[in-house]
Amino acid sequence: MQLGMASALETLCGQSYGAKQYHMMGIHLQRSWIILSSCAVVMLPIFLFTEPLLVFIGQDPKISAVAGVISVWYIPIMFANVCSFTLQMYLQAQSKNRIIAYLAILNLSTHMFLSWLLTAKFQFGLAGVMSSMVITLWIPAFGQLMFVFCGACPLTWTGFSSQALTDLFPVVKLSLSSGVMLCLETWYSTILVLLTGYMKNPEVTLDALSICLNINGWEMMISIGLLSATGVRVANELGAGSARRAKFAILNVVTTSFSIGLVFFVFFLLFRGKLSYIFTTSEEVAAAVADLSPLLAVSILLNSVQPVLSGVAVGSGWQSVVAYVNITTYYLIGIPLGAILGYVLGYHVKGVWVGMLLGTLVQTIVLLFITIRTDWDKQVEVTRQRLNRWFIDGNREKAASSGSP
């Protein structure tokens, strides 16, 4: 939810940067901090009272107790994400990606070391795992804050401003739309696992499905990277007033991503279950993975296009439209079809997955249709109107803060 809400900043900062309204990016960043921090505070009771809530809905008391401990540890992680996610969007809009990559490498290496030290060496168990997560997730947050505050973004960060407290409602609306859009996509794949857990022989099925989803997740990282690149590029070009360059960027990234997906599609059709031995030694699980590999290959092919089209939506500010598309295609088409194919017609996990793939296919076709049919010259005008409506004169703001007439 937090990552989705932060993606609203990708729209606002990307378009402001393209329009050379550089000082507005700092104001948008501060508005996003206010909104995401407020949401984090509202969510605090859920994390504080996870254990009694889980017991109330009938979960095992022992599991609920452990979940309650983990939830409390997640509170500082939640606030670290407020800083990290928003600053990442703010920096990406300016193509300052190198610092994000450096901090990610530092984060990963520190996390590996602390996890070994606190769990394997000192045997701190769950507390060691969670404390290492808390420490390492604050590394990119502090690192990016220092990078911005120490003058690395002189045009876009001019200090804290009271103007960030104005015009919050439109930003709240866009942030919530972005959060809902991402949550609907994330929950969709989770429901596949949930539906599979109620089938016969769920241990082998879930093992095989977990391997497939893990592989799919690895490949998905490429598409997510292209999603971010698309969102930034489209937002920059729309803000700069160039419909032609925005369309060229979309065509270029969609073609590149689809080509990568096609290579992986063929690769997984050829190797099928052989890749499962990276994760397991069980012949039964490997056979189940081989049986699911064609569906995995199709998923990878669809996921090479769908995230890029979502990136176009983020860059254009269409998050609310995509949220409605996701509800319809995922939850009114994909999941019901999967349940019918898997449980009613007896195709089990393959039926569930096929139904959900059909939902993803329909969603991809709809997003592709919207993208092709969009009048990008009109979209440039819509972007210009949005930027002008939220524009704050930087010189007048400085004069007000200094007390000049």
Side-chain angles (χ1 to χ4, degrees), residues 353-369:
W353 201 343
V354 166
M356 297 183 75
L357 279 177
L358 289 173
T360 304
L361 176 62
V362 174
Q363 187 239 25
T364 303
I365 292 171
V366 171
L367 292 182
L368 192 60
F369 178 79

Side-chain angles (χ1 to χ4, degrees), residues 311-369:
V312 174
V314 169
S316 306
W318 299 340
Q319 286 92 330
S320 58
V321 174
V322 178
Y324 287 120
V325 172
N326 287 350
I327 291 173
T328 304
T329 57
Y330 287 166
Y331 297 88
L332 299 182
I333 297 176
I335 292 174
L337 277 177
I340 292 170
L341 290 171
Y343 288 92
V344 179
L345 299 181
Y347 289 103
H348 306 294
V349 65
K350 293 174 72 174
V352 174
W353 201 343
V354 166
M356 297 183 75
L357 279 177
L358 289 173
T360 304
L361 176 62
V362 174
Q363 187 239 25
T364 303
I365 292 171
V366 171
L367 292 182
L368 192 60
F369 178 79

Side-chain angles (χ1 to χ4, degrees), residues 55-135:
V55 172
F56 177 74
I57 62 175
Q59 294 295 318
D60 184 271
K62 292 182 180 179
I63 296 175
S64 300
V66 177
V69 173
I70 294 174
S71 294
V72 173
W73 277 101
Y74 260 95
I75 292 174
I77 293 174
M78 180 171 58
F79 286 99
N81 288 337
V82 170
C83 292
S84 187
F85 290 159
T86 52
L87 285 164
Q88 182 176 325
M89 302 299 175
Y90 166 80
L91 292 169
Q92 283 179 343
Q94 307 169 67
S95 298
K96 294 183 182 292
N97 298 316
R98 189 172 298 177
I99 181 64
I100 300 173
Y102 290 156
L103 288 170
I105 294 170
L106 178 61
N107 178 15
L108 178 61
S109 56
T110 306
H111 183 57
M112 292 174 62
F113 171 72
L114 286 178
S115 296
W116 168 81
L117 182 68
L118 298 176
T119 56
K121 185 70 174 177
F122 293 129
Q123 301 291 319
F124 286 157
L126 180 61
V129 172
M130 297 308 300
S131 59
S132 67
M133 283 186 63
V134 171
I135 293 169

Side-chain angles (χ1 to χ4, degrees), residues 81-346:
N81 288 337
V82 170
C83 292
S84 187
F85 290 159
T86 52
L87 285 164
Q88 182 176 325
M89 302 299 175
Y90 166 80
L91 292 169
Q92 283 179 343
Q94 307 169 67
S95 298
K96 294 183 182 292
N97 298 316
R98 189 172 298 177
I99 181 64
I100 300 173
Y102 290 156
L103 288 170
I105 294 170
L106 178 61
N107 178 15
L108 178 61
S109 56
T110 306
H111 183 57
M112 292 174 62
F113 171 72
L114 286 178
S115 296
W116 168 81
L117 182 68
L118 298 176
T119 56
K121 185 70 174 177
F122 293 129
Q123 301 291 319
F124 286 157
L126 180 61
V129 172
M130 297 308 300
S131 59
S132 67
M133 283 186 63
V134 171
I135 293 169
T136 52
L137 286 175
W138 272 103
I139 289 175
F142 278 126
Q144 291 172 114
L145 278 172
M146 292 301 101
F147 182 79
V148 173
F149 288 168
C150 292
C153 305
L155 293 177
T156 60
W157 178 259
T158 56
F160 290 98
S161 170
S162 60
Q163 297 292 340
L165 299 172
T166 62
D167 290 327
L168 282 174
F169 181 73
V171 185
V172 170
K173 185 179 178 181
L174 183 61
S175 298
L176 289 175
S177 298
S178 303
V180 170
M181 183 188 86
L182 188 63
C183 283
L184 290 172
E185 293 190 8
T186 305
W187 295 339
Y188 191 55
S189 59
T190 306
I191 289 172
L192 173 59
V193 178
L194 180 65
L195 291 175
T196 305
Y198 292 103
M199 293 180 174
K200 294 180 180 179
N201 196 15
E203 292 83 3
V204 173
T205 304
L206 284 174
D207 284 347
L209 184 61
S210 297
I211 290 171
C212 289
L213 292 178
N214 203 354
I215 294 171
N216 189 43
W218 287 353
E219 192 278 334
M220 191 76 170
M221 290 299 104
I222 300 173
S223 299
I224 290 175
L226 291 169
L227 182 157
S228 298
T230 307
V232 170
R233 189 65 179 169
V234 170
N236 286 167
E237 299 302 349
L238 290 177
S242 178
R244 183 182 61 83
R245 289 203 299 266
K247 288 189 289 185
F248 176 76
I250 295 168
L251 179 62
N252 189 18
V253 180
V254 169
T255 304
T256 301
S257 186
F258 180 75
S259 300
I260 295 171
L262 190 60
V263 171
F264 280 111
F265 172 78
V266 174
F267 179 80
F268 286 110
L269 282 181
L270 291 175
F271 284 91
R272 297 175 71 87
K274 294 179 182 179
L275 291 171
S276 63
Y277 290 107
I278 301 173
F279 304 92
T280 183
T281 57
S282 170
E283 295 288 339
E284 190 177 7
V285 173
V289 171
D291 193 39
L292 292 174
S293 288
L295 295 177
L296 171 62
V298 174
S299 294
I300 287 172
L301 189 62
L302 283 177
N303 288 337
S304 67
V305 178
Q306 183 269 333
V308 175
L309 296 176
S310 294
V312 174
V314 169
S316 306
W318 299 340
Q319 286 92 330
S320 58
V321 174
V322 178
Y324 287 120
V325 172
N326 287 350
I327 291 173
T328 304
T329 57
Y330 287 166
Y331 297 88
L332 299 182
I333 297 176
I335 292 174
L337 277 177
I340 292 170
L341 290 171
Y343 288 92
V344 179
L345 299 181

